[in-house]
């Protein structure tokens, strides 16, 4: 069978190989023929191309050569002007061949050029390589290509020497434009991906379809083909490698007459593309014929040899007992004999298979019965073992007793529970032996109940062990019935519940303590069940709930304050706490889910009343912000103060000049007035920034406020009613009366502006006691006695969004020009300087109340407010020493004092003043000194004077507050002090007063 | 011609398959001014670099991989300088040899430093690039050395006390840097700088400029300009009767100066990093190879570009042809045999090499003084 197959296959293979070989030979012949044709075609194409180009190039250069030669010899016969004209004519006529033409003399200097711009005229060209090269022959010389300086295009220099009677007479030089060659090359159609170009004798590009290469002066001398051309060989159809671009090329080269050469080249694969196509088509045809032959062979084999070998395989399978495998005969071909053989074979196998199946069924049934029996026995054994294990491993004592409750059987747990070591010690005993006598009656009663009902569960008895110790146990009893439904025995199960009872007590105690803790925490704790009902609250939470919602314990919670409960049960967007607000309160709420045993979700809510905390925080922030702004403002105000001092003094002095016209005097007064206004604004800023100078003393506010109310009644519009309310108390504070007047004035002006339609302005004085641990009107107020000054109006009120900014300097809601925005800032600063506090309450449309709290002083006789005299005292020519570092301020002071009829000596700092005073002590009546100076300030000067025993009156001039040092300074003998900016009237008064004191 | 086509074809097919199977080539960029009218420095440098690449490949390349030079023209345009560097970077070069003037280098340096591409300039000498740890390297001595050498020569060797300068603003990074050093050193020695003229290559009428120079009656003239411009200024100067000693910069050391300058540049002295008759053993073979390939003598641009490639190749040997670690490998180069002498790169990517005072003598350059960096 196998041998037959093999011979069949080899016969068929032979039939395939012979025709295939024949086809291959034919194809090879076709390829070689095609290759030869293509090669001839390429060679011919390249030869024609480069020949034509070389001829054209040669012609261009030889024409040029002839022209140059003729021109050179003509030129030497002409005068200079004629030479220039001829050169210009030639250049135009042969354009664009020459980009420049010029004639050199025998030394190489430019004699004539083709233009009249004379850029080259007189230049020495003897250094140019063409000069020597051309002079050595009589022929026209062509240089290597270069990029022309004038055109930026590739050019060569052509030089024609002129020899007259064997004497070198000069040289015609032309810059030859090679654009013509470039244009020709660009127009050549040399084929796909092929390049045709011209290179010079060194391989440098002269013309190339891609002019960039020429511009970049690329050198292609590295190519094998070009190198062959460089040594003068004409090559056609050379295959070579371009190492720079890593590719194979086919090319030809043709040298030109001037040592240049024309080169054409094309990538091998592009040139040989027709051949590749030819080879591809031939291979395809070959492949198809082979496939056809193979197909025929496979078909024949399948029809005869395959069915027979299949039948043999199936017979082998049958002998090995693989009936299924033997039965699976799929295809016996198309021949009837083979098909009949296949059918008979199948019928035989089916008969054998049927008999075998019957025997197998009987055998299987027998085996199954045996297995079932074994299974039942095994199950019985396992069941018994299970129950035994159950009883023995039970944590409870289990006993079986007869109807007289004598123990028949028990487990190991029972032995241990009753305090024995062996089962035999327990068996035979009566159950009552293990129960204390007090419980016997109950036990017997129980037995009767069991007999009636069949079982009794968890009856608690006190048991006693073998050693007499007792324990509490639960007994569950059941009756065991016999086949005739008669009681046969009891089964008793005893469980020791001592530990359980102890734990229960412990849990109850802990629960009580937890409740106590929850009740005593200072924050509200609230438990919500899964239905969101309030299940538990501590007392704080109960109070909070009353504020936040109407819901009581047991009620369902849906909202808290302004927030829905569902929102509160999620994580807050910022921080840990949700903020919940009512009209007057702010709460912080945090919710945590709690899983109970039933897996229901319950929630614990923590409620914190942070209303007061928020208020404190807000006020602290406001104070800090105002302090920061104040610091900034103070810096600016201080410098302005110095400037204003000078302006005020000079304006006042100028106004006093006798020769001033009325109009100028008026102008000076305007300057003075405006400067004073500016000074007031500075004062306001200084007050706000708490830098103003304060003269505090014991002051009863009542007469001051009364006096002020009188002024207000006179000055405010009639439609504003002014009212003062006060009690029988004393309202004594430590304050600067002028500043308090300022506060009253600013508050009254604000109230007036708030009531354009009229209303009621109410001033109220009250004395209040703030006690520790009790709520103060303002959180920052310390315990003690406070005087409250309230200024209320019935005006338009302040909108809530404006309220936080009312103390900001320059913040105003008034129309431009109506207010400086400094009034309340000043009030705030002054109150803070007095260690006081300020509060504002306002309702839009109803009015505003501003309350100033100042610490009360113990009752004592307060000083009355002194009035300021208006007269301007003049001096009697006394000598004063002015010490001031700022030149402008010093000069203003000096002039002011001189107007007031004093003689003035000046010093720039404390040291200088000391030196003057030591020499002229007797002639100087008084010292006026600035406080802050870089080199020994006023206070240091005062101390130094006293240290040296110089007892002279000193007036300190200051822009800063120095109230802390004030007491010391008075003691040191400071006679007076003047605030900056210095006002002439005040200066006159203080100096006069000081001199009189002296 | 007569070889059988089919045999040739089969051979070339085999060669191509062989080529495909070869190791991938290492790409090296070259960026310089190839199409400008300022002088032939660009093509010279490119040809020098290509000659070095061919020599290295002929010796077996870098660890068996060949080098390929990708050439780009920066057109002496700062925008184009950055553009071609970006193109080279995109094409995957490991480093760029270039640019060829300090102005162009300055324009591209921010980009190459940001991208971390090594820029190895053969000839950018401006002191502005000195003493910085970045991606810029060079093989030419910087202006600090060149300027000092020229100032010493002017003041001490030539005994000049007054100088007039002319420099080209089209390559300001180089010219102003050199002017600054010479000016500073010369005045420090006690000399006086009478006047400094500037011009813009291609825009300024050099003849008119020289007329203005003549009016100031200079004692000596230092021209920091391209070779062609230096030559023309010398010619115009001589025409106008400016018969004072002329001096130039390393930039002018080119055949162009000699050809365009003619007798007007006879005696002109310039400071240079290039010795045209360098006695170093490797120099003459280089000159011969260059002349054989290109039919002209190598200039300083060609020589330094050649050395630039040698230096880069040595560093690439260390990095196995990769760009990573190239700066470290470059700064580690010590006593590498160049063609003009031993090359050591310092930690800032600069070199310290001999500087020469070169004189134009009978139409060629002659070294009259050599100053070592010590």
């Amino acid at each position: 069978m196998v041998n037959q197959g093999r011979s069949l296959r080899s016969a068929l293979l032979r039939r395939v190989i012979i025709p295939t070989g024949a086809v291959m030979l034919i194809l090879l012949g076709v390829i070689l023929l095609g290759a030869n044709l293509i090669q001839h075609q390429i060679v011919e194409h390249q030869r024609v191309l480069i020949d034509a180009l070389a001829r054209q190039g040669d012609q261009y250069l030889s024409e040029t050569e002839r022209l140059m030669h003729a021109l050179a010899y003509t030129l030497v016969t002409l005068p200079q002007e004629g030479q220039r004209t001829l050169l210009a004519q030639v250049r135009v006529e042969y354009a664009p061949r020459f980009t420049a033409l010029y004639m050199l003399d025998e030394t190489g200097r430019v004699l004539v050029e083709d233009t009249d711009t004379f850029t080259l005229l007189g230049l020495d060209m003897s250094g140019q390589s063409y000069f020597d090269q051309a002079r050595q022959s009589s022929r026209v010389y062509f240089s290597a290509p270069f990029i022309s300086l004038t055109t930026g295009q590739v050019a060569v220099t052509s030089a024609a020497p002129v020899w007259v009677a064997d004497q070198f007479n000069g040289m015609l030089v032309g810059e030859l434009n090679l654009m013509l060659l470039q244009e020709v090359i660009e127009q050549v159609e040399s084929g796909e991906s092929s390049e045709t170009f011209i290179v010079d004798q060194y391989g440098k590009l002269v013309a190339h379809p891609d002019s960039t290469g020429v511009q970049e002066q690329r050198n292609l001398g590295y190519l094998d083909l070009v190198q062959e051309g460089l040594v003068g060989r004409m090559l056609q159809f050379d295959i070579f490698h371009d190492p720079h671009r890593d590719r194979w090329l086919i090319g030809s080269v043709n040298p030109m007459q001037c040592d240049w050469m024309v080169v054409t080249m094309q990538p091998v694969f592009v040139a040989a593309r027709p051949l590749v196509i030819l080879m591809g088509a031939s291979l395809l045809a070959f492949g198809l014929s082979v496939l056809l032959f193979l197909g025929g062979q496979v078909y024949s084999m399948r029809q005869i040899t395959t069915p027979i070998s299949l039948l043999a395989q199936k017979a082998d399978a049958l002998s090995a007992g693989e009936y299924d495998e033997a039965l699976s005969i799929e295809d016996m071909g198309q021949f009837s004999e083979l098909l009949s053989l296949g059918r008979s074979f199948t019928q035989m196998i089916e008969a054998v298979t049927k008999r075998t199946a019957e025997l197998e069924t009987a055998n299987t049934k027998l085996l199954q019965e045996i297995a079932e029996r074994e299974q039942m026995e095994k199950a019985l054994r396992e069941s018994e073992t299970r129950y035994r294990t159950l009883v023995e491993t039970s944590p409870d004592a289990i006993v079986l007793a007869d109807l007289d409750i004598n123990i028949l059987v028990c487990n190991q747990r029972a032995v241990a529970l009753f305090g024995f070591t062996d089962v035999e010690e327990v068996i035979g005993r009566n159950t009552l032996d293990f129960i204390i006598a007090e419980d016997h009656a109950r036990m017997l009663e129980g037995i009767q109940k069991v007999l009636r009902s069949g079982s009794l569960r968890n009856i608690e008895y006190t048991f006693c062990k073998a050693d007499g110790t007792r324990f509490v146990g639960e007994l569950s009893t059941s009756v065991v019935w016999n086949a005739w439904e008669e009681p046969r025995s009891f089964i008793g199960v005893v469980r020791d519940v001592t530990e359980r009872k102890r734990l229960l007590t412990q849990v109850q105690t802990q629960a009580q303590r937890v409740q106590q803790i929850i009740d005593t925490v200072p924050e509200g704790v609230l438990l919500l069940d899964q239905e969101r009902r309030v299940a538990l609250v501590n007392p704080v939470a109960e109070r909070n709930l009353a504020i936040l919602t109407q819901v009581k314990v047991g009620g369902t919670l849906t909202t808290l304050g302004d927030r829905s409960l569902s929102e509160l049960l999620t994580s807050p967007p910022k921080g840990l706490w949700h903020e919940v607000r009512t009209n007057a309160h702010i709460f912080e709420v945090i919710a945590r889910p709690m899983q109970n045993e039933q897996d229901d979700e319950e929630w614990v809510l923590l409620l914190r009343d942070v209303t007061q905390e928020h208020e404190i925080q807000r006020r602290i922030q406001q104070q800090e912000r105002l302090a920061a702004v104040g610091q900034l403002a103070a810096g600016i105000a201080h410098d302005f103060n110095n400037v204003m001092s000078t302006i005020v003094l000079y304006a006042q002095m100028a106004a006093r000049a006798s020769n001033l016209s009325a109009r100028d005097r008026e102008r000076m007064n305007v300057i003075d007035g405006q400067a004073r206004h500016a000074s007031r604004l500075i004062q306001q800023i200084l007050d706000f920034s708490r830098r103003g100078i304060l003269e505090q003393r014991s002051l009863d506010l009542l007469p001051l406020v009364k006096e002020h109310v009188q002024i207000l009644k006179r000055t405010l519009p009639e439609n504003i009613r002014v009212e003062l309310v006060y009690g029988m108390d004393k309202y004594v504070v430590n304050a600067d009366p002028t500043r308090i007047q300022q506060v009253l004035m600013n508050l009254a002006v604000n109230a007036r502006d708030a009531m354009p339609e009229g209303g009621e302005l109410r001033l109220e004085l009250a004395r209040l006691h703030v006690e520790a641990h009790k709520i103060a009107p303002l959180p920052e107020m310390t315990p003690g006695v406070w005087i409250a000054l309230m200024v209320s109006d019935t005006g338009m009120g302040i909108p809530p969004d404006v309220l936080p900014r009312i103390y900001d300097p320059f913040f105003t809601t008034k129309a431009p020009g109506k207010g400086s925005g400094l009034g309340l800032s000043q009030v705030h600063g002054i109150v803070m300087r007095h260690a006081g506090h300020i509060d504002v309450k306002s309702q839009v449309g109803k009015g505003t109340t501003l309350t100033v709290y100042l610490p009360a002083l113990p009752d004592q006789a307060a000083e009355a407010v002194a009035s300021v005299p208006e007269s301007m005292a003049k001096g009697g020519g006394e000598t004063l020493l002015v010490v001031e570092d700022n030149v402008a301020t010093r000069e203003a002071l000096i002039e002011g004092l001189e107007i007031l009829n004093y003689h003035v000596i000046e010093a720039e700092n404390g040291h200088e003043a000391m030196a003057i005073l030591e020499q002229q002590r007797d002639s100087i009546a008084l010292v006026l000194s600035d406080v802050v100076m870089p080199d020994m300030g006023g206070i240091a000067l005062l101390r130094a004077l006293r240290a040296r025993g110089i007892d002279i009156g000193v007036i300190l001039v200051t822009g800063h507050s120095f109230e802390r040092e004030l007491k010391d300074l008075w003691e040191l003998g400071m006679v007076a002090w003047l605030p900056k900016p210095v006002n002439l009237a005040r200066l006159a008064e203080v100096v006069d007063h000081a001199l009189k004191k002296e | 011609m007569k070889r059988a086509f089919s045999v040739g074809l089969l051979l070339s097919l085999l060669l191509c398959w062989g080529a495909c199977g070869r190791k991938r080539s290492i790409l090296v960029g070259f960026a310089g001014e190839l199409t400008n009218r300022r002088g032939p420095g660009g093509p010279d440098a490119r040809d020098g670099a290509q000659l070095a690449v061919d020599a290295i490949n002929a010796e077996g390349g870098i660890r068996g991989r060949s080098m390929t030079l990708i050439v780009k023209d920066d057109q002496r345009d700062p925008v184009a300088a950055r553009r071609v560097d970006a193109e080279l970077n995109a094409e995957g070069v490991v480093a760029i040899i270039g640019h060829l003037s300090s102005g162009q280098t300055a324009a591209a340096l921010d980009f190459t430093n940001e991208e971390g591409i090594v820029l190895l300039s053969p000839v950018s000498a401006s002191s502005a690039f000195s003493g910085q740890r970045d991606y810029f390297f060079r093989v030419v001595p910087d202006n600090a050395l060149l300027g000092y050498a020229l100032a010493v020569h002017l003041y001490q060797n030539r005994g000049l006390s007054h100088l007039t300068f002319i420099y080209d603003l089209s390559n300001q990074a180089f010219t102003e840097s050199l002017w600054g050093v010479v000016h500073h050193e010369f005045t420090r020695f006690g000399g006086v700088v009478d006047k400094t003229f500037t011009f813009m290559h291609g825009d300024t009428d050099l003849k008119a400029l020289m007329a203005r120079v003549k009016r100031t009656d200079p004692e000596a003239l230092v021209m920091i300009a391209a070779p062609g411009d230096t030559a023309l200024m010398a010619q115009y100067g001589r025409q106008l009767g400016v018969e004072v000693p002329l001096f130039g910069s390393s930039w002018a050391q080119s055949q162009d100066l000699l050809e365009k300058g003619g007798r007007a540049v006879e005696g002109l002295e310039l400071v240079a990093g290039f010795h045209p008759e360098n006695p170093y053993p490797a120099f003459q073979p280089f000159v011969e190879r260059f002349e054989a390939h290109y039919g002209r003598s190598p200039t300083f641009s060609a020589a330094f570009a050649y050395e630039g490639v040698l230096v880069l190749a040595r560093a690439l040997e260390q990095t196995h042809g990769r760009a990573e670690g190239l700066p470290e490998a470059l700064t580690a180069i010590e006593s590498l045999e160049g063609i003009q002498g031993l090359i050591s790169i310092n930690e800032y990517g600069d070199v310290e090499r001999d500087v020469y005072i070169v004189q134009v003598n009978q139409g060629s350059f002659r070294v009259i003084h050599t100053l070592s960096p010590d």
Side-chain angles (χ1 to χ4, degrees), chain A residues 87-103:
Chain A
L87 284 177
Q89 273 173 2
V90 169
R91 194 175 156 198
V92 172
E93 200 172 322
Y94 288 88
R97 187 175 298 231
F98 297 107
T99 48
L101 277 169
Y102 44 91
M103 189 78 193

Side-chain angles (χ1 to χ4, degrees), chain A residues 270-527:
Chain A
V270 177
R273 192 183 291 147
L275 187 71
V276 172
I277 294 167
L278 189 72
M279 278 175 78
S282 309
L283 282 172
L284 196 69
F286 174 70
L288 279 174
S289 7
V290 169
L291 278 176
L292 214 63
F293 279 114
L294 281 174
Q297 171 66 1
V298 167
Y299 181 74
S300 321
M301 281 168 84
R302 190 170 282 169
Q303 289 307 313
I304 302 163
T305 55
T306 308
I308 292 169
S309 62
L310 185 69
L311 217 54
Q313 276 172 20
K314 301 301 170 187
D316 287 347
L318 186 64
S319 63
E322 295 165 4
Y323 303 121
D324 287 343
E325 174 62 30
L327 261 175
S328 59
I329 297 175
E330 299 115 5
D331 189 6
M332 287 303 286
Q334 294 173 342
F335 301 108
S336 60
E337 294 85 349
L338 288 171
L339 288 171
S340 164
L341 195 63
R343 274 197 299 275
S344 306
F345 189 78
T346 309
Q347 281 165 2
M348 184 183 80
I349 295 168
E350 277 170 356
V352 172
T353 312
K354 195 179 171 191
R355 183 67 197 136
T356 311
E358 280 169 8
L359 282 171
E360 271 178 359
T361 312
N363 195 24
T364 311
K365 202 174 174 187
L366 208 64
L367 286 171
Q368 211 170 358
E369 280 172 7
I370 295 167
E372 274 171 11
R373 202 160 300 160
E374 278 175 356
Q375 194 66 33
M376 274 168 71
E377 280 171 11
K378 194 181 165 198
L380 216 61
R381 279 198 302 277
E382 279 175 359
S383 169
E384 196 189 333
T385 312
R386 245 190 333 264
Y387 279 108
R388 191 185 300 279
T389 312
L390 207 61
V391 169
E392 285 305 330
T393 55
S394 166
D396 298 329
I398 300 170
V399 296
L400 183 72
D402 60 16
L403 293 180
D404 296 326
I405 60 171
N406 292 317
I407 295 171
L408 302 171
V409 180
C410 74
N411 66 355
Q412 277 303 322
R413 174 67 185 147
V415 175
L417 188 66
F418 296 133
F420 294 98
T421 51
D422 193 65
V423 176
E424 294 304 321
E425 289 176 285
V426 181
I427 290 171
R429 285 180 187 263
N430 192 280
T431 310
L432 290 178
D433 295 350
F434 301 113
I435 294 172
I436 59 165
E438 291 87 333
D439 286 354
H440 282 186
R442 222 158 37 88
M443 171 71 183
L444 293 172
E445 204 179 309
I447 290 297
Q448 293 309 314
K449 279 187 192 167
V450 173
L451 284 172
R452 283 198 299 276
S453 62
S455 69
L456 201 60
R457 305 239 161 249
N458 302 336
I459 306 299
E460 209 171 274
Y461 297 103
T462 304
F463 292 85
C464 60
K465 298 190 177 190
D467 62 359
T469 54
R470 295 180 173 193
F471 67 92
V472 180
E474 276 179 1
L475 175 64
S476 299
T477 317
S478 308
V479 178
V480 181
W481 308 93
N482 65 13
W484 300 273
E485 297 288 316
E486 289 169 343
R488 195 175 147 213
S489 53
F490 296 110
I491 284 181
V493 179
V494 181
R495 175 172 292 174
D496 185 351
V497 294
T498 318
E499 181 64 12
R500 196 175 78 193
K501 287 181 89 76
R502 193 185 62 75
L503 284 172
L504 192 64
T505 317
Q506 200 176 346
V507 166
Q508 282 166 349
T509 317
Q510 273 178 353
Q512 277 170 0
R513 292 187 65 188
V514 168
Q515 184 61 44
Q516 280 169 351
I517 291 168
I518 289 174
D519 286 353
T520 45
V521 290
E523 289 174 0
V525 181
L526 190 145
L527 180 70

